[in-house]
Amino acid sequence: MNENIVVYDIETMINLFTVTFYEVLSNKYYQFVIHDLKNESEQLYNYLEELYNNNATLVGFNSYEFDYPVLHYMIDEHIDSADLIYDKAQSVINSMFNGIPSWKAYYKQIDLFKVNHFNNPARSQSLKGLQINMQLEDVKDMPYKHDYF
């Protein structure tokens, strides 16, 4: 299997956006920050273009309904402001359907939440719940609320 698999996760706070990518084949991590004190949006967009050109498949947890719609919006609008990203993230959270149709998506996607049917009410599970069930040694909550400024 020689696919370009890239695992990713975004975090949104009222004044901070981060996205972390892990390239499976190269075993490398990349992280980008958008904040008033550090804005790596141009580096992020260059990296996303590289992923697109290399036919990357993005893998996430609940990424189809949250992470990717936010990322898609950022790409379409070329957003470089954490507060605009936060506003979009909140609208995605409050919407009934958030997914971007596959024919509109820039990347192939695998959403582990759906692959493992955790979106089924009988099997529903949060990422933190899965971490606890897998008996991971270090499961932590973020020490700040998402709207902490």
Side-chain angles (χ1 to χ4, degrees), residues 30-109:
Y30 298 88
Q31 186 172 57
F32 301 94
V33 174
I34 298 177
H35 184 270
D36 289 342
L37 300 176
K38 183 177 187 178
N39 192 322
E40 298 174 328
S41 58
E42 286 309 310
Q43 295 94 319
L44 169 60
Y45 291 120
N46 290 336
Y47 180 75
L48 289 168
E49 186 174 350
E50 183 181 314
L51 291 180
Y52 177 82
N53 291 335
N54 291 317
N55 295 314
T57 298
L58 298 182
V59 177
F61 185 86
N62 198 28
S63 55
Y64 183 73
E65 294 287 331
F66 179 69
D67 300 68
Y68 188 72
V70 173
L71 205 59
H72 190 90
Y73 159 76
M74 291 173 62
I75 294 167
D76 278 354
E77 303 295 326
H78 203 82
I79 302 298
D80 64 356
S81 164
D83 60 332
L84 292 176
I85 298 167
Y86 176 80
D87 290 344
K88 177 62 176 179
Q90 293 309 299
S91 77
V92 167
I93 290 168
N94 294 320
S95 296
M96 290 293 284
F97 175 79
N98 306 311
I100 304 296
S102 60
W103 58 272
K104 280 188 172 182
Y106 299 117
Y107 309 93
K108 292 180 281 181
Q109 298 178 69

